[in-house]
Amino acid sequence: MSASAVAPAMAAAGAGRPRTLVCVPATARAPREMAAELAAAAAVGADVAELRLDRLAGFAPRRDLPVLLAEPRPLPALVTYRPKWEGGEYDGEDEPRFEALMLAMELGAEYVDIELKVADKFMKLLSGKKPESCKLIVSSHNYENTPSAEELGNLVAQIKATGADIVKIATTATEIVDVARMFQILIHCQEKQVPIIGLVMNDRGFISRVLCPKYGGYLTFGSLEKGKESAPAQPTAADLINLYNIRAIGPDTKVFGIIGKPVGHSKSPILHNEAFRSVGFNAVYVPFLVDDLAKFLSTYSSPDFAGFSCTIPHKEAAVRCCDEVDPIARDIGAVNTIVRRPDGKLVGYNTDYVGAISAIEDGIRESQPTDPSTSPLAGKLFVVIGAGGAGKALAYGAKEKGARVVIANRTFARAQELANLIGGPALTLAELENYHPEEGMILANTTAIGMHPNINETPLSKQALKSYAVVFDAVYTPKETRLLREAAECGATVVSGLEMFIRQAMGQFEHFTGMPVDDDKFRAIADSLDNPNIMKPRL
């Protein structure tokens, strides 16, 4: 494939700016398998494939490169032969490695990657013989941290001075705010018209891989499938293209996301990205793995970071971090939705309590005759497990509906604090095991107990569940938790956390977009969450 074949992939994404390419690393151990990965990468919609020569077992350049770079190729090729000292697998002298990279150039590779530490040495050997059609990427990898913006700027200058066509810098995030420095460098390079690949590795750096098109990044990496990543926390190419709609991300794209710790389990990105796309809203929704909420919000203070969902453990801290808080959210003492107004002020809301309480009420109405003029929770003993943000929302909502609320928590002091606010008794989880003052009680678990991957855990024994007529679990991964399964076996009406998740997300969507939610359309998207085919490429 000639260099001209790269041009369609570089179609402008607005304002004459090149589109960020999606590159799939081919990491197979045998040349023919690696060549097959190129075809598979093209099938998922990638723009470039990276041939990781250091991954090949018994690699012989003159035998294997003609196979890997045979014309016609399904995609442009980026050839990398990464040594161990830069995080790769090649453990030999530089000269044979350099010769293999030069041969790749001769055979028509569109891109070749060489490490900054040996770039001068490689350029000397090359002595001006690089084909016009091949772009040289000079790369620097930092597996410990992300240097200051000034140091990153110096690194760009150092890489440019080697004669690189494209600068590549990969660093490591120790916290999510580190990524902001990489975004600064991407913007700086875009202004100077310096092509740059700037990525931040690991879970806290994940957003760098999705949002780089907004800041003019040349290329981002996405694995062929889970388990074939070439760097920590690399998304799949299919997710970049289909879930995050990376082709549509540009300078004017608004950024939303879920703030939590952990956050990888969340289905919110699937739901909100599809909902945004369905109404033509120019936005992307990403997972933010956040340690310090106040620091995160002050770092990502641009109006483009327009709204956030808040989950464990940040819902209570969010009340303190917002400039204004909706009166109901203030009464609850927890915020699960933050919107940044055009004036930069952060406004906090709580959509959890309506989502959860209405889901429980409807679950009861569907399973037993109820008085339509009053809430089926009125007068019932309503036990809330957990005293965090979700626990506060459920307790507040149940009390508003006339229930008698009891708070149970692993830490008794936390249970007592919330119980005092609500005006009900407090229990430890151990005491809850033997708590059955009456029949027909309602139980709501608001903790993360039983959430993936700890699916065999449950907050209450099956024996204790026999006292409850209705059991709700805020955990929705898995959809049927051990708590719900055992409650159903005891004859209780069970209400899945997925229903609360959908309803609170509908409220968030309206806050984020200013548009009314289409209930049927939103539910259709939510129904596809359990469909393993949802992430199939839309080609």
Side-chain angles (χ1 to χ4, degrees):
M1 181 180 280
S2 68
S4 61
V6 185
M10 291 292 288
R17 198 174 78 164
R19 192 183 79 194
T20 299
L21 304 178
V22 174
C23 178
V24 169
T27 57
R29 294 294 180 188
R32 293 209 180 274
E33 285 169 24
M34 190 173 275
E37 286 183 338
L38 257 72
V44 299
D47 302 301
V48 183
E50 181 185 31
L51 304 177
R52 284 295 301 265
L53 303 183
D54 52 300
R55 299 294 291 264
L56 290 167
F59 173 58
R62 298 214 166 267
R63 179 194 68 200
D64 298 333
L65 279 172
V67 173
L68 291 168
L69 295 170
E71 301 275 7
R73 275 197 303 287
L75 285 176
L78 189 175
V79 178
T80 302
Y81 200 179
R82 190 79 68 221
K84 273 196 170 172
W85 49 260
E86 189 86 358
E89 295 188 19
Y90 176 75
D91 195 17
E93 295 299 317
D94 281 333
E95 279 67 24
R97 194 166 68 88
F98 291 171
E99 283 167 18
L101 292 174
M102 288 168 69
L103 177 59
M105 286 179 174
E106 284 171 34
L107 291 170
E110 286 80 5
Y111 302 91
V112 163
D113 178 307
I114 190 72
E115 302 74 26
L116 173 62
K117 285 177 192 170
V118 293
D120 287 340
K121 198 170 157 190
F122 182 68
M123 293 300 265
K124 241 178 228 163
L125 192 65
L126 206 52
S127 62
K129 292 183 207 152
K130 181 176 79 69
E132 277 293 308
S133 60
C134 183
K135 290 189 187 305
L136 185 66
I137 298 170
V138 175
S139 61
S140 168
H141 298 77
N142 181 330
Y143 292 97
E144 290 178 14
N145 55 34
T146 299
S148 69
E150 187 184 353
E151 288 172 291
L152 288 172
N154 291 339
L155 189 55
V156 169
Q158 203 182 337
I159 292 173
K160 275 298 291 173
T162 64
D165 296 306
I166 299 167
V167 172
K168 180 188 175 188
I169 299 175
T171 64
T172 300
T174 56
E175 51 185 339
I176 196 168
V177 295
D178 294 347
V179 184
R181 299 197 288 282
M182 187 62 79
F183 289 158
Q184 274 180 272
I185 293 303
L186 289 179
I187 293 166
H188 173 76
C189 285
Q190 193 189 333
E191 287 167 354
K192 302 284 185 191
Q193 297 187 310
V194 174
I196 181 171
I197 302 164
L199 301 168
V200 185
M201 295 178 282
N202 82 21
D203 291 336
R204 286 167 176 80
F206 179 83
I207 60 169
S208 71
R209 299 181 177 279
V210 178
L211 299 182
C212 54
K214 183 171 174 60
Y215 303 104
Y218 186 88
L219 175 154
T220 189
F221 293 90
S223 65
L224 195 53
E225 58 193 59
K226 283 194 191 321
K228 290 194 171 184
E229 299 86 357
S230 62
Q234 197 174 76
T236 64
D239 277 358
L240 284 172
I241 295 163
N242 302 319
L243 165 53
Y244 296 107
N245 204 15
I246 198 166
R247 305 273 194 246
I249 297 174
D252 300 325
T253 301
K254 295 288 185 193
V255 180
F256 296 85
I258 180 160
I259 296 168
K261 185 185 177 184
V263 79
H265 66 282
S266 177
K267 306 275 190 197
S268 292
I270 302 174
L271 189 58
H272 284 288
N273 281 315
E274 193 59 42
F276 290 161
R277 185 174 357 210
S278 74
V279 295
F281 187 61
N282 183 12
V284 63
Y285 186 103
V286 294
F288 295 113
L289 179 57
V290 172
D291 299 286
D292 183 326
L293 180 62
K295 197 172 180 184
F296 169 82
L297 292 170
S298 64
T299 301
Y300 296 97
S301 57
S302 148
D304 280 357
F305 283 79
F308 311 98
S309 309
C310 251
T311 190
I312 294 169
H314 298 303
K315 292 182 184 186
E316 293 158 282
V319 177
R320 299 187 294 276
C321 291
C322 288
D323 300 297
E324 292 177 22
V325 178
D326 178 75
I328 291 171
R330 191 170 292 288
D331 286 348
I332 292 169
V335 158
N336 79 318
T337 308
I338 300 173
V339 175
R340 180 172 271 119
R341 288 195 317 222
D343 65 3
K345 299 274 191 217
L346 296 173
V347 185
Y349 301 91
N350 192 302
T351 64
D352 276 339
Y353 83 101
V354 174
I357 295 299
S358 64
I360 295 168
E361 286 180 323
D362 289 351
I364 295 170
R365 287 188 183 113
E366 286 167 18
S367 66
Q368 53 192 259
T370 54
D371 178 353
S373 66
T374 184
S375 169
L377 305 185
K380 293 286 192 340
L381 199 61
F382 192 105
V383 178
V384 176
I385 299 179
K392 286 178 173 177
L394 268 287
Y396 174 90
K399 188 186 177 186
E400 285 286 296
K401 297 291 185 176
R404 295 168 290 133
V405 180
V406 176
I407 308 296
N409 195 56
R410 195 170 273 162
T411 312
F412 181 70
R414 290 268 285 162
Q416 202 162 33
E417 190 183 333
L418 179 53
N420 290 342
L421 287 172
I422 292 296
L427 303 167
T428 63
L429 285 188
E431 288 169 333
L432 187 61
E433 283 292 328
N434 301 306
Y435 182 76
H436 40 83
E438 59 188 72
E439 297 302 312
M441 296 190 295
I442 299 169
L443 180 72
N445 173 45
T446 68
T447 72
I449 297 170
M451 185 168 78
H452 182 82
N454 305 311
I455 59 172
N456 294 318
E457 293 181 3
T458 183
L460 204 59
S461 70
K462 190 172 180 180
Q463 181 62 32
L465 288 173
K466 291 175 181 173
S467 304
Y468 295 91
V470 179
V471 175
F472 164 80
D473 196 342
V475 172
Y476 67 88
T477 51
K479 185 176 177 182
E480 186 188 55
T481 59
R482 180 180 165 189
L483 175 69
L484 292 186
R485 186 175 68 250
E486 292 182 349
E489 288 165 2
C490 292
T493 295
V494 297
V495 181
S496 165
L498 189 60
E499 191 57 37
M500 170 191 172
F501 168 68
I502 292 165
R503 294 180 189 211
Q504 62 80 31
M506 285 180 179
Q508 290 184 334
F509 176 85
E510 293 188 340
H511 284 304
F512 291 158
T513 64
M515 300 178 192
V517 72
D518 181 327
D519 198 296
D520 292 339
K521 191 182 277 187
F522 209 87
R523 285 191 172 279
I525 296 166
D527 287 344
S528 67
L529 293 177
D530 287 333
N531 179 358
N533 297 321
I534 186 171
M535 288 297 101
K536 278 192 174 173
R538 296 185 185 91
L539 298 177

